[in-house]
Amino acid sequence: MVDRSPFVVVANRLPVDEVTTDTPGGRVTGSGDSRRRWRRSPGGLVTALHPVLVERHGTWIGWSGSPGDAPDPFELDGINLRPVPLSEEDLERYYEGQSNATIWPLYHDNVEPPVFRRRWREAYRVVNRRYAEAAAEVAAEGATVWVQDYQLQLVPAMLRELRPDLKIGFFLHIPFPPIELFMQLPQRAEVLRGLLGADLVGFQQRLAAQNFIRLARHLLGTPYHGNVIEYEGRQVKADAFPISIDVGEMQRLADNPLVRERAVQIRAELGDPKTVILGVDRLDYTKGIEHRLKAYRELLAAGRLSVPESVMVQVATPSRERVEHYQALRIKVEREVGRINGDFGRVGVPAVHYLHQSYSRSELAALYCAADVMMVTPLRDGMNLVAKEYVAARLEHGGALVLSEFAGAAGELRQAFLCNPHDLDAVKDALMRAVTVDEHEARRRMSVMQRHLRRHDVARWASDFLTELGAIP
Ligand code: ADP
Ligand code: G6P
């Protein structure tokens, strides 16, 4: 008999990384040949939920990150972890296919055309059921189950069917599309009914919650009043809960003398330019990386910026590398970087430093501290935590954030230099305003945004959601 939990989180991934033999540390699980070492992965979501999970003997259900058989359930830092197995075929169809080649582009304004495949849809259904069954098995009588993100939209309804006693919350970390786009999804009614299995459906923005409520009426004729939908004799609430970051963690890192020293060293390694312009993104076509590179190239060509006075650093974290859209993007971005460096770099002085790598939290914080201007130019983004991390890391430094109007974060970070990433001239102007802003004005803008973040960190996000769900008093 498994121990049952009164609080369960269900997400595609577990919040852990497997530690390989060349990295020291980590907690060992299993015995004999099956011994494996794990470490909690960095990230706001697990940090925010950690206290609740520990206090309530909670369980996190998710995939371990390796295909094939799942490791046995284990405990790490006070959290029970219940791995769900995903085979190579599940990864190809449910994760890379339906989640990341169909739903991801569709929910991000069709920035790339979504691909629709019947076998992916079926795999999505099968895998969602596996997660729902795991949750039904570990949840105690009357427990609260919080399901995360677009990979698991069918779980709430599947779980309700198995366990009508549970309180079920769902949070979508990415945008929710307008009706016209959602209607393209062949599985549309099934996905909508899946979400309506929850008691509370949370979105990043109010507009997304409204899209959802209107969609339910359009597709299923469900009546609603305010933000409450009447569905099959139950009430389903849809509301906005803009996610945030662990502000304290980022501020502590940015205040750490070693991180500060590293920031100075990074600037020196870059040739101590007057202006360091930074981009940090997963290498994803929603992030507008090419748009920002193009804006920078045109400013160099026009002589409004020059090398080596200014230098751009673009960190592009490897992501979903077997999905075609991502492979095509990598080629485009790398071609653009090559073009800019070919035209404007000099021996030993590239115009763009392009880094297709992952970094530790402290190295990221050092990069944020080293950057005079941060460019966050997504064509569509649920929130964008990088923008919030940059602001939190600046402490007394000033610095300027160029931010797309199409990032959820633009609803809160109003003192950023906002722009429409589709309008290249607007991106160029915003970048020039950020590069030339006077120090006093930069500090003023940064301190208003920091004040907002200090009041709205990820712990508050989690507690707002769980309070609304009635899970915490
Ligand atoms: P998304 O969720 O689409 O990836 P966000 O900006 O909301 O975009 O969140 C990205 C998270 O990943 C941030 O917390 C950021 O610090 C982290 N991250 C991005 N790039 C790297 C990298 N190269 N190394 C380590 N962490 C990264
Ligand atoms: C976005 C999604 C998350 C996802 C993350 C990384 O933030 O909202 O659900 O975990 O990207 O993507 P990956 O495909 O590597 O899990």
Side-chain angles (χ1 to χ4, degrees):
M1 176 73 193
V2 269
D3 271 351
R4 296 189 155 205
S5 293
F7 181 61
V8 179
V9 174
V10 190
N12 176 53
R13 287 179 190 273
L14 288 173
V16 295
D17 296 314
E18 188 160 1
V19 182
T20 53
T21 38
D22 28 313
T23 17
R27 180 75 53 84
V28 179
T29 61
S31 57
D33 289 347
S34 63
R35 279 163 71 92
R36 297 170 82 168
R37 288 190 300 165
W38 304 93
R39 200 166 26 206
R40 201 163 101 199
S41 46
L45 184 62
V46 60
T47 312
L49 296 178
H50 190 252
V52 194
L53 283 161
V54 171
E55 191 185 314
R56 300 171 67 179
H57 305 289
T59 298
W60 188 305
I61 294 171
W63 175 54
S64 70
S66 312
D69 291 343
D72 288 336
F74 59 100
E75 193 238 287
L76 188 73
D77 297 347
I79 309 178
N80 300 308
L81 297 156
R82 164 73 152 82
V84 171
L86 292 181
S87 65
E88 276 291 354
E89 191 178 278
D90 294 331
L91 286 174
E92 187 198 319
R93 297 181 177 184
Y94 145 80
Y95 170 72
E96 289 162 353
Q98 187 68 9
S99 297
N100 289 312
T102 306
I103 297 169
W104 180 270
L106 183 75
Y107 282 29
H108 285 89
D109 283 357
N110 277 17
V111 171
E112 285 290 345
V115 182
F116 302 110
R117 296 255 192 284
R118 274 171 287 198
R119 60 174 186 276
W120 293 355
R121 234 171 283 161
E122 180 52 27
Y124 186 81
R125 205 173 279 139
V126 168
V127 171
N128 271 244
R129 184 162 298 285
R130 196 175 303 154
Y131 279 78
E133 283 168 355
E137 199 183 299
V138 304
E141 180 69 25
T144 295
V145 180
W146 192 359
V147 184
Q148 311 286 329
D149 230 355
Y150 64 101
Q151 304 92 341
L152 300 176
Q153 294 173 98
L154 305 181
V155 169
M158 290 173 166
L159 184 56
R160 181 166 298 282
E161 208 184 307
L162 294 167
R163 291 286 307 274
D165 59 299
L166 301 177
K167 193 166 275 187
I168 303 171
F170 179 92
F171 186 77
L172 186 70
H173 292 253
I174 70 173
F176 191 76
I179 296 180
E180 312 83 85
L181 281 183
F182 188 87
M183 293 302 282
Q184 291 183 7
L185 192 65
Q187 220 177 358
R188 59 198 187 189
E190 187 183 0
V191 167
L192 178 60
R193 287 186 191 282
L195 294 170
L196 286 167
D199 297 291
L200 175 63
V201 187
F203 298 90
Q204 301 280 20
Q205 293 188 70
R206 200 172 325 142
L207 198 64
Q210 284 166 1
N211 284 345
F212 178 72
I213 294 167
R214 290 202 199 107
L215 174 76
R217 193 169 76 168
H218 180 78
L219 208 52
L220 305 175
T222 50
Y224 66 90
H225 42 93
N227 58 356
V228 176
I229 302 169
E230 301 288 341
Y231 177 67
E232 295 187 337
R234 293 186 300 114
Q235 296 199 321
V236 181
K237 200 165 188 180
D239 217 339
F241 300 87
I243 200 169
S244 194
I245 56 162
D246 184 351
V247 177
E249 179 233 25
M250 189 44 76
Q251 293 196 328
R252 276 191 298 280
L253 280 173
D255 210 16
N256 180 323
L258 291 176
V259 171
R260 288 175 168 230
E261 219 170 275
R262 176 68 189 133
V264 172
Q265 194 186 13
I266 289 173
R267 289 191 72 102
E269 285 167 357
L270 293 171
D272 273 323
K274 189 162 158 260
T275 313
V276 175
I277 303 166
L278 176 68
V280 174
D281 313 78
R282 264 185 315 100
L283 187 49
D284 193 297
Y285 51 84
T286 59
K287 302 290 181 183
I289 301 171
E290 303 147 87
H291 300 66
R292 134 184 12 146
L293 286 169
K294 204 161 168 200
Y296 181 55
R297 168 162 57 77
E298 289 194 3
L299 289 170
L300 290 173
R304 292 170 74 190
L305 287 177
S306 61
V307 179
E309 287 76 26
S310 66
V311 58
M312 182 182 268
V313 177
Q314 176 63 55
V315 175
T317 321
S319 181
R320 306 173 192 166
E321 289 180 281
R322 297 196 305 196
V323 179
E324 233 170 85
H325 292 134
Y326 288 77
Q327 292 167 354
L329 173 76
R330 181 168 180 189
I331 291 168
K332 281 194 267 175
V333 166
E334 293 182 354
R335 191 180 294 147
E336 185 63 40
V337 169
R339 178 174 173 186
I340 298 174
N341 284 333
D343 287 351
F344 303 102
R346 301 207 219 128
V347 173
V349 191
V352 183
H353 294 251
Y354 168 75
L355 303 151
H356 185 241
Q357 297 162 32
S358 266
Y359 288 100
S360 65
R361 298 297 294 161
S362 55
E363 183 70 4
L364 269 188
L367 280 164
Y368 293 145
C369 291
D372 303 288
V373 175
M374 177 87 201
M375 288 197 85
V376 178
T377 54
L379 306 175
R380 177 61 74 190
D381 208 329
M383 175 51 65
N384 198 289
L385 298 180
V386 163
K388 291 188 170 180
E389 288 170 357
Y390 177 70
V391 170
R394 295 306 298 179
L395 295 173
E396 77 281 11
H397 303 307
L401 173 65
V402 173
L403 180 60
S404 160
E405 292 162 11
F406 298 102
E412 297 169 80
L413 304 178
R414 304 302 298 168
Q415 286 69 31
F417 294 88
L418 295 170
C419 63
N420 169 3
H422 298 280
D423 179 349
L424 210 57
D425 291 330
V427 179
K428 285 157 65 180
D429 286 346
L431 177 53
M432 286 314 294
R433 284 198 296 135
V435 168
T436 56
V437 65
D438 79 67
E439 216 178 297
H440 175 76
E441 173 66 5
R443 280 171 200 272
R444 187 192 66 77
R445 287 173 181 251
M446 209 45 91
S447 76
V448 175
M449 293 192 285
Q450 288 200 343
R451 209 174 317 136
H452 172 84
L453 287 187
R454 277 197 295 271
R455 289 201 207 108
H456 297 87
D457 76 349
V458 73
R460 166 149 176 205
W461 167 82
S463 108
D464 283 353
F465 185 94
L466 291 172
T467 308
E468 183 87 46
L469 184 59
I472 48 179

